[in-house]
């Protein structure tokens, strides 16, 4: 069972920056897509940014130009660099990893979430 483990959330003032990290625990064969989602109180979970094994990225319109997703394939780690944070970015951020486990079974795993709070 692959379990993403997130770190890096916290409290930051509006205009500040944070970097989130996510690495898998458990055994796996390979990880393809890696992504960050967020869920604010009373709202549905939404995609923030995603990156595939080829380094192709996809961003929500609301974070384009402010957030950058990247991955370190040697460490199987995905990062989300968040800059110029706004109060609307306040949410629980979840890491999602998609790939193949041992025995080549597909997995699509979610982390426990890390809180990001932006004070205005």
């Amino acid at each position: 069972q692959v379990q993403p483990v997130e770190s890096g959330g916290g409290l930051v003032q509006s205009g500040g920056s944070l970097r989130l990290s996510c690495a898998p625990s458990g055994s796996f064969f390979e990880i393809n897509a890696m992504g960050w989602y967020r869920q604010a109180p009373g709202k549905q979970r939404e995609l923030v940014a995603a990156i595939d094994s080829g380094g192709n990225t996809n961003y929500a319109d609301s974070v384009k130009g402010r957030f950058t997703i990247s991955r370190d394939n040697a460490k199987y780690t995905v990062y989300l660099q968040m800059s110029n944070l706004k109060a609307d970015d306040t949410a629980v951020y979840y890491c999602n990893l998609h790939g193949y486990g041992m025995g080549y079974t597909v997995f699509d795993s979610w982390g426990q979430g890390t809180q990001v709070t932006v004070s205005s």
Side-chain angles (χ1 to χ4, degrees):
Q1 184 74 14
V2 176
Q3 178 64 44
V5 179
E6 303 117 334
S7 62
L11 174 64
V12 64
Q13 287 189 333
S14 179
S17 299
L18 280 176
R19 189 176 84 153
L20 305 182
S21 301
C22 173
S25 65
S27 299
F28 54 90
F29 181 70
E30 67 177 9
I31 295 178
N32 297 327
M34 312 174 92
W36 289 96
Y37 291 72
R38 68 186 180 187
Q39 187 166 19
K43 295 187 178 181
Q44 290 188 330
R45 189 173 298 188
E46 63 175 0
L47 172 69
V48 177
I51 185 168
D52 65 16
S53 57
N56 299 301
T57 58
N58 182 35
Y59 294 93
D61 287 342
S62 61
V63 306
K64 285 180 180 177
R66 301 188 297 121
F67 291 11
T68 301
I69 190 170
S70 61
R71 60 190 286 168
D72 183 333
N73 290 325
K75 298 180 180 179
Y76 303 103
T77 300
V78 60
Y79 304 97
L80 185 67
Q81 178 66 48
M82 304 184 292
S83 302
N84 191 21
L85 283 159
K86 305 175 181 180
D88 286 347
D89 295 318
T90 295
V92 178
Y93 284 69
Y94 297 91
C95 175
N96 176 262
L97 302 178
H98 180 89
Y100 296 96
M102 307 307 288
Y104 221 64
T105 55
V106 174
F107 68 83
D108 187 81
S109 299
W110 293 91
Q112 297 287 338
T114 185
Q115 177 71 45
V116 172
T117 302
V118 183
S119 63
S120 56

